[in-house]
Amino acid sequence: MSKLKIAIQKSGRLYEESLQLLKDCGIFVNNGKDQLKVSVDNFPMEIMYLRNSDIPQYLEDAVVDVAIVGENLLVEKQKNIEIVQKLGFSKCRVSLAIPKEVETNDIEYFQGKKIATSYPNTLKNFLQKNNILAEIHTISGSVEIAPNIGLADGICDIVSSGSTLFKNGLRETVTILKSEAVLAKTSKLDLEKSLILDKFLFRIKAVLKAKNSKYILMNVPTEKISEISAVLPVLKSPTVIPLAEKGWSSIHSVIDEERFWEVIDELKDKGAQDILIIPIDKMVI
């Protein structure tokens, strides 16, 4: 039987979260410390631990079938690779930053300037689209020090919290690209492996849906069931259970995490009481 070969970072910010996603999907990974390839006992999958910058080429060449990788890296490497699922973690931005004493946020600041970056292709395409002529200095490692040592007037780099920029006397001005971890696949996937990928994606979506949802229980006046149910659109229909106290019922349903407090306020306004919120482990719809 074929096995789906998946690449993840062998170290770095995506490593731990990638392994956690596999665990949440019920895929148990044998100890892979200091190994290039490890097996999975309970799913037709092999895991390859690769250097982050090498993963796009491995995907394009079909050395691996799928990979958990930063969207920003795929954009930079410009390979023939398809993103099949955004994963919602390791979110960051590829942004322009300048010395904090420079007051303008206008992109025209970079006209004729020197910009240091580890993302030359992403930066070049952005500058061309905005008719900015600038000198690009491609460097690896600590891009943030470039303005301080006189190498550049600004930088283009990954930004998460912005703390590294702050420590180096820089501030973010223009966001070029918003990125997060994604599941990407090679264009050369055969039918058998495509079916395995479909099963893997089914598990991923169940995990992601659960993380973005909360199970909610509440007591409501029976006469308010229809009105309150309209506020809970996640499932086909909420579960309604009559209470021992006449005129009251218990409603069970699911709400979206991103609208959590907004929905809670609306439910309270409509008469809901004794509201309980419970995390969801998996959610299959």
Side-chain angles (χ1 to χ4, degrees), residues 131-187:
N131 298 314
I132 301 295
L133 294 175
E135 186 178 334
I136 298 175
H137 285 261
T138 303
I139 60 177
S140 58
S142 302
V143 176
E144 296 85 0
I145 67 170
N148 290 331
I149 62 176
L151 179 63
D153 303 293
I155 69 167
C156 172
D157 201 16
I158 283 182
V159 179
S160 295
S161 66
S163 61
T164 303
L165 292 180
F166 180 80
K167 291 175 183 176
N168 286 275
L170 303 174
R171 63 182 184 85
E172 186 178 4
T173 56
V174 180
T175 298
I176 294 177
L177 171 71
K178 291 184 178 180
S179 174
E180 63 185 88
V182 298
L183 182 71
K185 72 172 185 177
T186 179
S187 61

Side-chain angles (χ1 to χ4, degrees), residues 11-267:
S11 62
R13 62 192 185 94
L14 282 177
Y15 173 76
E16 293 292 344
E17 289 174 297
S18 298
L19 289 182
Q20 184 61 52
L21 176 63
L22 294 177
K23 182 179 179 181
D24 292 341
C25 289
I27 296 171
F28 303 119
V29 182
N30 293 328
N31 186 3
K33 188 174 178 62
D34 299 325
Q35 296 183 50
L36 173 63
K37 184 171 68 174
V38 298
S39 61
V40 173
D41 292 333
N42 64 338
F43 193 80
M45 176 181 283
E46 286 182 341
I47 299 171
M48 296 184 70
Y49 296 100
L50 302 175
R51 193 169 61 179
N52 188 47
S53 59
D54 292 337
I55 290 176
Q57 189 64 56
Y58 276 67
L59 272 173
E60 187 173 60
D61 295 340
V63 175
V64 296
D65 303 309
V66 296
I68 297 175
V69 64
E71 187 177 3
N72 58 294
L73 184 62
L74 297 182
V75 171
E76 173 61 26
K77 295 296 185 179
Q78 301 178 337
K79 301 296 183 181
N80 181 26
I81 297 167
E82 179 185 348
I83 293 173
V84 292
Q85 179 67 51
K86 294 193 174 186
L87 301 176
F89 58 82
S90 290
K91 293 185 177 182
C92 64
R93 306 174 297 281
V94 178
S95 295
L96 291 167
I98 59 177
K100 60 183 179 181
E101 61 268 16
V102 178
E103 296 182 357
T104 183
N105 288 332
D106 197 324
I107 191 175
E108 289 296 326
Y109 165 81
F110 293 97
Q111 193 72 256
K113 298 290 198 303
K114 297 177 182 178
I115 308 174
T117 186
S118 298
Y119 294 87
N121 293 324
T122 304
L123 176 59
K124 179 181 177 182
N125 291 337
F126 178 79
L127 294 177
Q128 286 178 344
K129 288 178 182 178
N130 288 275
N131 298 314
I132 301 295
L133 294 175
E135 186 178 334
I136 298 175
H137 285 261
T138 303
I139 60 177
S140 58
S142 302
V143 176
E144 296 85 0
I145 67 170
N148 290 331
I149 62 176
L151 179 63
D153 303 293
I155 69 167
C156 172
D157 201 16
I158 283 182
V159 179
S160 295
S161 66
S163 61
T164 303
L165 292 180
F166 180 80
K167 291 175 183 176
N168 286 275
L170 303 174
R171 63 182 184 85
E172 186 178 4
T173 56
V174 180
T175 298
I176 294 177
L177 171 71
K178 291 184 178 180
S179 174
E180 63 185 88
V182 298
L183 182 71
K185 72 172 185 177
T186 179
S187 61
K188 304 171 185 177
L189 204 62
D190 63 32
L191 178 58
E192 189 173 4
K193 289 186 177 182
S194 293
L195 293 175
I196 299 172
L197 175 58
D198 288 343
K199 292 180 180 180
F200 184 38
L201 275 171
F202 177 80
R203 297 188 185 194
I204 289 175
K205 289 176 180 178
V207 169
L208 296 180
K209 186 64 178 176
K211 287 183 177 180
N212 293 326
S213 304
K214 298 292 183 184
Y215 192 78
I216 183 169
L217 304 85
M218 72 202 83
N219 296 331
V220 304
T222 301
E223 66 205 33
K224 295 274 191 178
I225 288 176
S226 296
E227 187 178 351
I228 287 176
S229 295
V231 184
L232 305 166
V234 172
L235 300 179
K236 288 184 177 68
S237 176
T239 300
V240 180
I241 303 172
L243 296 180
E245 184 175 343
K246 188 175 180 180
W248 283 84
S249 297
S250 175
I251 289 183
H252 299 206
S253 190
V254 172
I255 59 176
D256 288 326
E257 177 71 31
E258 63 183 20
R259 294 189 64 240
F260 178 83
W261 291 111
E262 177 185 342
V263 170
I264 294 298
D265 288 341
E266 194 170 353
L267 292 171

